[in-house]
Amino acid sequence: MTLATSPQAPEIFSAAAFFADQGPPAPELFPAGAPVWEGLRGLKDWLEQWHYPAWTHKLGVADGPLPKTMVIYRPEQGSGPATAPVTVIPGEECEITYGSADKGALQVSRGGELLDGASVLMAGTVIMGRRFELGRGVLVESGAFLKEPLVIGDHCEIRQGAYLRGHCLIGRRCVVGHVTEVKHTIFCDDAKAGHFAYLGDSILGPGVNLGAGTKLANLRFAAGEVRIRYPGGQINSGLKKLGAVLGAGCQTGCNAVTNPGTLLGRGSVIMPNTTAPAGYHPPRTMIRQAP
């Protein structure tokens, strides 16, 4: 195959084609006319330029595990960088109902007053660095490892044993699950990787759900940049590391694996115990293990 110059390529690889009208958490990462993986190319710079609030300085821990549960409370928060004062409250001063954060069921009260939108870092959460943004109503469970820089949107749940290795952007109502490793990755709103997953240099579209044990591989055995095969030929991503891009509503079954440079159109499914071939797969594709 030769490198494609087909006019079809920009359209099928656009962010709009993968996310529809639901949109990514940071639209500026996905300029019109650029292929969707350009969001990953610009992610590090975007996170480096983010205005991070100073609440991490109030935790009493520079790098390491939190000795006790802490509540992060900001009375109001807009859609941009936080400007309202942040209060850090020891958890023992609060009454905490540990409902599912992604469903808005996490509740925190203090002295009978509801602290609407308060987030909770449970004792044993490991913090590495200072550059963190935490949205409203976020729950981070004991044993999660958070490495800077990291932006987490409203009502997310970061479960026990999750490993966020830095340069991650997590949208709203997302789940990063038990023993799930995430590196240089974007979660759009309502994306969930609940159990035993690996996500490297990848993008989960809105409403994506990864079955337990899903692995999104990001590095080819052969040296060189990742090229994307599609019906018109192939196109060079320009990236040496590129995992998977899953369009809105995609699902993977348990123990599914994607090869580097796998792009799934909206509503696609990878069946359990199946390895998805690299390249572009159009919307509503079902990938199953060969008989």
Side-chain angles (χ1 to χ4, degrees), residues 184-238:
H184 191 233
T185 286
I186 298 171
F187 279 55
C188 295
D189 294 349
D190 302 294
K192 295 176 171 57
H195 324 272
F196 307 101
Y198 171 72
L199 296 84
D201 301 272
S202 295
I203 302 173
L204 300 188
V208 166
N209 187 70
L210 303 186
T214 295
K215 306 295 188 290
L216 308 183
N218 62 334
L219 182 64
R220 301 170 68 240
F221 284 128
E225 297 171 339
V226 177
R227 296 185 176 188
I228 313 298
R229 295 182 179 89
Y230 79 113
Q234 63 176 268
I235 184 169
N236 191 349
S237 71

Side-chain angles (χ1 to χ4, degrees), residues 103-114:
K103 297 178 173 60
L106 175 68
Q107 290 192 342
V108 181
S109 299
R110 186 187 192 194
E113 177 187 359
L114 178 65

Side-chain angles (χ1 to χ4, degrees), residues 13 18 36-37 228 242-246 261-265 277-282:
F13 291 131
F18 283 87
V36 64
W37 56 79
I228 313 298
L242 175 59
V245 179
L246 277 61
T262 299
L263 278 66
L264 297 182
Y280 171 75
H281 304 272

Side-chain angles (χ1 to χ4, degrees), residues 249-274:
C250 286
Q251 298 187 62
T252 68
C254 293
N255 298 320
V257 177
T258 63
N259 279 288
T262 299
L263 278 66
L264 297 182
R266 300 194 308 269
S268 293
V269 174
I270 304 176
M271 299 298 286
N273 302 309
T274 299

